[in-house]
Amino acid sequence: MSRRLQGQDWLTAPATRAVMAALTAAGGADCARFVGGCVRNALIGAPIDDIDIATTLTPDAVVVALRAAGLRSVPTGIEHGTVTAISEHQPFEITTLRRDVSTDGRRATVAFTTDWAEDARRRDFRLNALYADANGVILDPTEQGYDDAMAGRIVFVGQPEGRICEDYLRILRFYRFYAWYGRGAPDAAAVAACAALAEGVEQLSAERVSKELLKLLAAPDPRPAVRLMDQASVLERVLRQPVELALFEAMTELSGDAVLRLSALLPDDPAVAEVARALRLSNAQRHRLAEAVAGQATTTLTDSQARAVIYSDGRQAFEDRVMRAWAAGGDPEAAQRLLALAKDWTPPTMPVGGRDLVRLGLKPGPETGRVLKAFEAGWIADDFPDHGHDDRLRALLPPA
């Protein structure tokens, strides 16, 4: 009995129908199927972010078919067989069926094929090797992908050692998919293979590693997967140092923020900047991680002390430091009070400037910066008063 996707709005949406109609008009009813995440997530009731399509058409034929249907195409990865169709402003990634010709653990040389089973054999996990036609009828070439998806099993297609050696990123993908979709005990063969081949992750580009790691850490509860990574020595290879999990375990209970969870895996000292740089994180992420450990923010701060930190270092840095202090055992009520303060308080703008000093008789020059800096320090220490500014400035002016 055939299985079919049910109640999927994306499947019958006009934008989706237009893309599938364009492909089938060029190659026949069996030339295109939905594949991977959209099929898997539809089965298990998880959100669907992207709609990927596999096809027997070559990339050039896909472009021609889309153009004939009045749809725009973008050659996002045409050398690897991928063209992105734009239908009603929505992207659809279309990839020609492939087989691996050669692999080196980081990248593969592929050849196009028209064999659905051959395409399935080069995919990572059985639950990702699921296809569905335009009507939602499911094709399961491994004959176990559907059962894996429904049971929460993350099992490699074929022998895990062989699949990992084709691309060592599959080690991190195993942990990521286990974090998001796994239920129960992990697949023993996969766990053993990831541990045995852990050294391979050191060959991967930092960008691929950090992207996969942040996706993993964004899972509702990544702790079981991270523990597996730690036990297999994968985590210390990724972060390039031994890792203690206690702070991370506590932080996961408090926040779903992937960057904040990552900060809880990193050293509580300036070395965090080196790790962030090695992972090739974005400038914003690197700055955030460095700021999270750069200054002290405990749950014992008074409101005025908290406002001083927020003004000087920014709301994000303050909130991250409070969260780290809370996860490290700080008082929960105090932490929540400080976080509420940070949310509700808007740091004021410095109320005086160089013109005010000129008005009070100080000629522009080096003294201007000194006086303003001293004024700001006192203004912060007194909890940002909104009055008496001229008197404060006069007290700081040099003798006439």
Side-chain angles (χ1 to χ4, degrees):
M1 185 178 86
S2 63
R3 298 184 174 102
R4 186 187 299 267
L5 301 179
Q6 302 289 343
Q8 298 297 312
D9 292 341
W10 62 269
L11 190 67
T12 57
T16 308
R17 288 294 193 189
V19 174
M20 294 298 278
L23 298 174
T24 56
D30 294 329
C31 83
R33 295 187 173 108
F34 303 105
V35 65
C38 61
V39 180
R40 177 198 65 231
N41 284 17
L43 285 173
I44 65 177
I48 295 168
D49 298 321
D50 303 303
I51 301 175
D52 294 338
I53 299 169
T55 182
T56 57
L57 297 174
T58 64
D60 290 343
V62 169
V63 172
V64 171
L66 294 172
R67 185 183 303 122
L71 298 174
R72 187 162 68 93
S73 63
V74 180
T76 45
I78 201 163
E79 69 278 7
H80 299 295
T82 300
V83 174
T84 297
I86 308 298
S87 179
E88 298 190 12
H89 308 290
Q90 181 179 352
F92 295 80
E93 193 171 274
I94 304 167
T95 303
T96 302
L97 303 189
R98 298 174 292 181
R99 60 181 175 83
D100 288 334
V101 174
S102 63
T103 59
D104 64 4
R106 294 186 63 177
R107 60 187 67 84
T109 301
V110 300
F112 301 140
T113 180
T114 58
D115 187 334
W116 292 95
E118 195 168 33
D119 184 76
R121 284 195 293 271
R122 73 173 301 277
R123 296 184 179 271
D124 47 14
F125 309 114
R126 298 186 314 208
L127 84 172
N128 288 341
L130 289 168
Y131 306 79
D133 68 14
N135 297 314
V137 176
I138 295 170
L139 176 71
D140 185 3
T142 71
E143 298 183 350
Q144 294 167 301
Y146 177 88
D147 290 339
D148 284 354
M150 302 309 290
R153 291 191 297 262
I154 314 301
V155 181
F156 281 96
V157 174
Q159 294 298 315
E161 292 84 356
R163 306 325 312 282
I164 289 171
C165 287
E166 292 167 355
D167 185 354
Y168 288 110
L169 190 69
R170 287 173 174 162
I171 293 176
L172 300 182
R173 284 176 63 82
F174 169 74
Y175 297 119
R176 195 245 292 185
F177 277 88
Y178 182 66
W180 277 98
Y181 305 110
R183 298 197 302 276
D187 179 66
V191 170
C194 289
L197 298 170
E199 188 175 355
V201 299
E202 297 177 10
Q203 299 182 27
L204 299 170
S205 70
E207 292 85 354
R208 295 181 81 198
V209 169
S210 60
K211 182 178 179 180
E212 203 66 37
L213 181 61
L214 287 171
K215 286 181 178 180
L216 186 163
L217 294 176
D221 186 0
R223 288 173 296 183
V226 171
R227 290 178 200 131
L228 287 176
M229 293 177 70
D230 187 48
Q231 292 163 9
S233 297
V234 170
L235 193 59
E236 66 180 64
R237 292 180 184 278
V238 167
L239 299 179
R240 307 188 181 196
Q241 61 184 330
V243 178
E244 293 291 336
L245 295 184
L247 186 63
F248 167 77
E249 296 269 354
M251 185 66 79
T252 300
E253 291 278 358
L254 301 177
S255 173
D257 187 311
V259 176
L260 191 54
R261 287 173 170 180
L262 175 59
S263 84
L265 288 170
L266 299 179
D268 195 6
D269 59 46
V272 68
E274 294 301 319
V275 178
R277 189 175 298 109
L279 286 172
R280 299 286 181 85
L281 298 173
S282 70
N283 288 338
Q285 290 167 338
R286 286 162 56 180
H287 176 74
R288 183 180 173 192
L289 288 171
E291 285 295 306
V293 302
Q296 186 177 14
T298 71
T299 56
T300 61
L301 293 176
T302 65
D303 286 4
S304 62
Q305 289 171 332
R307 284 188 283 267
V309 175
I310 296 168
Y311 178 85
S312 300
D313 298 342
R315 178 179 287 108
Q316 184 71 75
F318 175 79
E319 291 176 343
D320 288 349
R321 293 171 195 170
V322 171
M323 291 296 293
R324 286 173 63 88
W326 185 2
D331 180 66
E333 291 187 7
Q336 292 175 66
R337 173 182 59 80
L338 292 171
L339 293 170
L341 182 153
K343 180 180 179 181
D344 295 337
W345 184 66
T346 300
T349 302
M350 174 83 155
V352 300
R355 290 182 180 179
D356 297 288
L357 292 177
V358 171
R359 178 172 53 81
L360 294 176
L362 182 66
K363 294 181 179 180
E367 279 297 301
T368 298
R370 182 195 67 78
V371 172
L372 289 177
K373 186 174 182 180
F375 172 90
E376 185 177 38
W379 178 62
I380 293 171
D382 289 341
D383 201 15
F384 310 98
D386 59 3
H387 59 278
H389 303 322
D390 280 1
D391 290 340
R392 289 173 176 272
L393 287 174
R394 289 191 183 95
L396 294 170
L397 294 176

